[in-house]
Amino acid sequence: MMKIVVVIKQVPARDSFLRVDPGGAWIQESDLNYEINEPDAYALEAGLQLKEKSGGEVVVVSTGPARVASTIREALAKGADRAIHIEQEDVAGAGPLATARVIASALETEKPDLILTGLQSDDFGYGQTGVILAELMGLPHATIIMNVEVNGASLRLKRELENGYFQHVEMPLPALLTMQSGSNKLRYATLMGIKKAKTKEVRTIAGVQPEGAGTSIRIERVYMPGSSKQSQIFDGPPREAAAKLVEKLKFEARVL
Amino acid sequence: MSILVVTEQRGGAWNRMSFETLAAAQQFEKPVHAAVIGTGIETLAQELAGYQLEAVHAVSHPLLEHYTADGYSLALRQLIEKVSPELVLFPHTYQVRDFAPKLATSLNRVLVSDVVARHGDVFVRQLFQGKINADIRFTGEPPFFASLQAGAWRADQTVAGSAPVVPFTPELKPEQIRVKPLDIFREAERAVDLGAAEIIVSVGRGIKEADNLPVVQKLAEVLGAEMAASRPICDNGWMPMERQVGSSGQTVAPKMYIAVGISGAIQHLVGMKGSRTIVAINRDPEAPIFEVADYGIVGDLFEVVPALIEEIRKVK
Ligand SMILES: Cc1cc2nc3c(=O)[nH]c(=O)nc-3n(C[C@H](O)[C@H](O)[C@H](O)COP(=O)(O)OP(=O)(O)OC[C@H]3O[C@@H](n4cnc5c(N)ncnc54)[C@H](O)[C@@H]3O)c2cc1C
Ligand SMILES: Nc1ncnc2c1ncn2[C@@H]1O[C@H](COP(=O)(O)O)[C@@H](O)[C@H]1O
């Protein structure tokens, strides 16, 4: 029997059209759609499969404003048992240490055997929150995990390395893992699951920044990146654009 | 501002990104210290001693023979206390992702990860998979921590010189190392060598379904090109893993690389940025792939690719 915590983040949908605030402080959020961060969906899937194999409980945790509730519901509909919503505005400026501190304090009384996070968020892309959380909670961790096997009180893992290499590692429980996308098939929520989710517990707590949290970096300004190359980009009717491109490829780049 | 560069090696072989970080540090400020970690690292330390550095710290201990996050964090924390640098720089490798946030947290600091540029006191990193840039400033007391994106600085701009090698033996106990690293392996032998291809047509999630792949395969056929893909396509099993381009797949540099429905996340770009001519087809004019493209068409690939095939047939 394992208690598994899955830490999930709600992020702007992948194909969102992003615009920067006039002041350059942050992006305009009002017209965005949101979804679960992709690797976090795989972390949830891994957690649900482990529970199905060895029994136990899956608890999802998310930090963010009220809109995050929809992503939490979806995780419950897929089979998570209960949820903790740490309600907080302005997670944008907080930085990964502050976010991890808030999550760590919410998990103090939970004492999970295993914590799963995504390896990286699609919006801020720090790639750090999970590792920081492990350090704050005094847990061993491993990153970019493709496969998890539980053997009694220890884990055998498959980590991804660069250039198509992998590595096996072993570690004791309790532990924290940051999960890579793509290692499993994701399940859909069933109608039954959606119905059940409505009765499951969601504990909403206020996200209070612990003293001195995350004061060591500050996002000063955001903006659209410029191009590093002199690109020639064609648009308009596909046929005309294609003709222009082929001419360039033949006579300028000489690759045809 | 004094800088400590943490280099990366495995089994006596460098991760070449170490030298990009070294070059960046030399351009930033002086003095620059470098650290190399592991066992049997004398030759590597001597090699570093041939650069313009204040000192090379050879961090060695039997428990550092194989990389572990616990071992590296504890050892580097002790080195940082000894050298007291104001800025600690890392290459943004998978290994650094694994231990640097832990190290920074143990000193109550935040690592600025995956930095692409520096202007004065401001470090630039990308958000939203490369669609937005952010200027970040360190606040509070040093040491500050930053990791640098692959290819953002050039390794061939390191400055030669000479530096003393200073051995450093951290205090480590076996029970402090909680993770046990085992074998490193590859899943399967690679049957296709994309490195030899002159033209590569690469497909991303814009293709939507496996059933649509023939649209792009036809383009590859008329060009006599090899097919490749972004990671999600291979994860879905639509194309074999060995055709994945990027940091966890192959690195390619053909005469022409055509990216169809690929957004251009950095993990994909590092695998194809070196191509001679890059062509991108994407319906989003802000897609980061256009930042590295020589030529591009903004439009729906299901209209653009058939038109392109027709135009190519005319000139072939
Ligand atoms: C540790 C790590 C390692 C990774 N390794 C790799 C790697 O080796 N290789 C790799 O590729 N990725 C890798 N990734 C994943 C990477 O971050 C991106 O998620 C991935 O490259 C995105 O793939 P994509 O561009 O196909 O999909 P998306 O980002 O979803 O982009 C799809 C694009 O298609 C466009 N599009 C949609 N419909 C159409 C249409 N009808 N016509 C034209 N355009 C359309 C969209 O505008 C969008 O730009 C890695 C990630 C991590 C964290
Ligand atoms: N606000 C948040 N709420 C819940 N989980 C988060 C949040 N921010 C980050 N995470 C988790 O940490 C992982 C890495 O995020 P990041 O460090 O931002 O790249 C994500 O995949 C999530 O699992």
Side-chain angles (χ1 to χ4, degrees):
Chain A
M1 292 283 277
M2 285 217 293
K3 187 197 265 191
I4 302 165
V5 164
V6 185
V7 185
I8 58 175
K9 184 177 189 185
Q10 189 188 57
V11 297
R14 206 175 306 111
D15 273 353
S16 295
F17 181 64
L18 302 173
R19 276 174 303 165
V20 173
D21 260 355
W26 192 233
I27 56 154
Q28 296 184 1
E29 293 195 333
S30 52
D31 49 357
L32 295 178
N33 291 317
Y34 289 88
E35 63 190 15
I36 188 169
N37 184 44
E38 189 171 35
D40 304 2
Y42 286 92
L44 175 63
E45 182 60 43
L48 294 173
Q49 287 189 17
L50 286 174
K51 176 186 129 176
E52 281 156 8
K53 230 177 265 161
S54 43
E57 188 189 26
V58 171
V59 184
V60 294
V61 180
S62 192
T63 305
R67 60 170 156 78
V68 170
S70 63
T71 295
I72 288 176
R73 278 289 162 216
E74 219 176 286
L76 293 172
K78 285 188 174 184
D81 297 285
R82 60 188 170 89
I84 303 171
H85 179 181
I86 309 167
E87 205 168 338
Q88 210 178 10
E89 296 299 325
D90 184 35
V91 250
L97 178 57
T99 302
R101 280 212 172 108
V102 168
I103 297 170
S105 73
L107 291 181
E108 229 160 56
T109 52
E110 289 286 346
K111 305 246 178 318
D113 300 296
L114 183 63
I115 302 177
L116 303 176
T117 74
L119 84 165
Q120 188 163 322
S121 59
D122 275 350
D123 51 359
F124 303 161
Y126 291 120
Q128 297 193 49
T129 308
V131 177
I132 295 172
L133 182 59
E135 174 68 12
L136 293 176
M137 297 183 70
L139 297 174
H141 76 269
T143 54
I144 322 193
I145 300 304
M146 303 287 296
N147 189 46
V148 185
E149 236 177 80
V150 183
N151 303 315
S154 75
L155 295 171
R156 183 183 164 87
L157 310 163
K158 182 177 154 194
R159 284 191 67 200
E160 180 179 304
L161 303 181
E162 281 128 329
N163 302 320
Y165 282 96
F166 299 93
Q167 180 176 33
H168 286 124
V169 301
E170 279 176 4
M171 63 198 295
L173 287 169
L176 183 144
L177 308 176
T178 82
M179 304 300 291
Q180 172 65 292
S181 295
S183 43
N184 273 311
K185 248 192 128 49
L186 298 179
R187 71 189 63 196
Y188 292 98
T190 59
L191 268 176
M192 187 61 170
I194 294 167
K195 221 165 136 189
K196 265 197 188 155
K198 294 190 179 126
T199 64
K200 288 177 178 171
E201 176 196 315
V202 180
R203 191 155 60 88
T204 304
I205 56 180
V208 183
Q209 273 308 324
E211 212 41 41
T215 50
S216 85
I217 61 168
R218 185 173 69 231
I219 298 185
E220 223 156 58
R221 184 172 75 98
V222 301
Y223 50 97
M224 308 301 274
S227 177
S228 58
K229 270 191 178 177
Q230 289 291 357
S231 321
Q232 301 186 53
I233 310 295
F234 310 112
D235 47 15
R239 180 151 312 218
E240 284 169 32
K244 273 189 240 164
L245 175 62
V246 167
E247 191 193 307
K248 290 285 180 189
L249 294 179
K250 189 167 170 69
F251 297 108
E252 196 176 85
R254 296 173 194 280
V255 280
L256 286 183
Chain B
M1 189 188 306
S2 65
I3 303 178
L4 173 65
V5 172
V6 178
T7 65
E8 183 169 320
Q9 63 91 23
R10 191 201 296 153
W14 290 115
N15 184 321
R16 301 306 305 177
M17 277 170 69
S18 304
F19 295 94
E20 297 175 10
T21 312
L22 213 56
Q26 287 180 327
Q27 288 161 37
F28 286 178
E29 246 135 309
K30 276 187 188 116
V32 178
H33 296 251
V36 52
I37 310 161
T39 53
I41 51 171
E42 293 75 17
T43 318
L44 297 178
Q46 277 311 324
E47 195 181 324
L48 286 181
Y51 290 93
Q52 195 184 84
L53 295 167
E54 186 72 14
V56 175
H57 303 275
V59 183
S60 205
H61 189 285
L63 289 171
L64 296 174
E65 183 182 356
H66 300 291
Y67 164 79
T68 60
D70 287 331
Y72 271 46
S73 308
L74 291 166
L76 279 171
R77 198 176 151 176
Q78 292 168 34
L79 182 69
I80 288 167
E81 273 156 17
K82 180 187 163 197
V83 179
S84 52
E86 282 161 292
L87 178 63
V88 185
L89 283 183
F90 308 86
H92 190 68
T93 62
Y94 285 25
Q95 187 167 298
V96 164
R97 298 171 60 114
D98 194 60
F99 77 87
K102 173 181 166 73
L103 170 65
T105 302
S106 75
L107 292 162
N108 203 22
R109 297 295 188 285
V110 179
L111 164 80
V112 178
S113 47
D114 216 5
V115 167
V116 296
R118 181 191 184 201
H119 311 294
D121 285 346
V122 163
F123 287 75
V124 184
R125 66 182 302 276
Q126 299 177 308
L127 308 175
F128 296 92
Q129 307 236 33
K131 286 188 198 161
I132 303 271
N133 276 9
D135 286 350
I136 312 245
R137 200 183 281 276
F138 290 109
T139 60
E141 294 294 307
F144 305 127
F145 293 83
S147 64
L148 308 185
Q149 185 168 93
W153 278 268
R154 286 181 46 182
D156 59 7
Q157 287 177 353
T158 46
V159 182
S162 84
V165 173
V166 186
F168 181 77
T169 310
E171 272 178 43
L172 296 173
K173 297 190 204 83
E175 63 273 19
Q176 290 175 309
I177 316 288
R178 296 166 296 181
V179 177
K180 191 167 159 207
L182 302 170
D183 55 312
I184 291 176
F185 59 98
R186 252 188 178 152
E187 211 86 286
E189 277 315 304
R190 283 177 177 173
V192 280
D193 180 14
L194 292 178
E198 296 230 315
I199 303 180
I200 293 176
V201 172
S202 194
V203 59
R205 191 138 53 180
I207 197 73
K208 302 225 159 50
E209 287 172 31
D211 287 349
N212 296 334
L213 277 175
V215 177
V216 184
Q217 272 154 354
K218 235 181 262 164
L219 176 62
E221 264 163 45
V222 294
L223 288 167
E226 284 284 354
M227 284 288 292
S230 67
R231 180 177 183 130
I233 301 299
C234 302
D235 280 346
N236 286 342
W238 299 353
M239 294 247 275
M241 276 283 280
E242 58 190 20
R243 289 188 186 268
Q244 178 180 314
V245 167
S247 63
S248 46
Q250 295 207 45
T251 300
V252 299
K255 279 205 317 219
M256 177 158 70
Y257 187 90
I258 307 186
V260 182
I262 292 177
S263 62
I266 180 62
Q267 293 87 4
H268 188 80
L269 297 187
V270 294
M272 45 64 75
K273 260 201 305 204
S275 308
R276 210 174 77 195
T277 298
I278 298 173
V279 179
I281 298 168
N282 198 303
R283 67 170 178 201
D284 176 5
E286 311 283 0
I289 191 75
F290 287 122
E291 285 160 41
V292 301
D294 298 283
Y295 304 99
I297 295 182
V298 176
D300 183 344
L301 75 90
F302 297 105
E303 294 172 14
V304 171
V305 172
L308 192 57
I309 291 169
E310 216 169 290
E311 293 299 323
I312 292 169
R313 281 209 175 109
K314 282 189 204 161
V315 301
K316 273 239 152 179

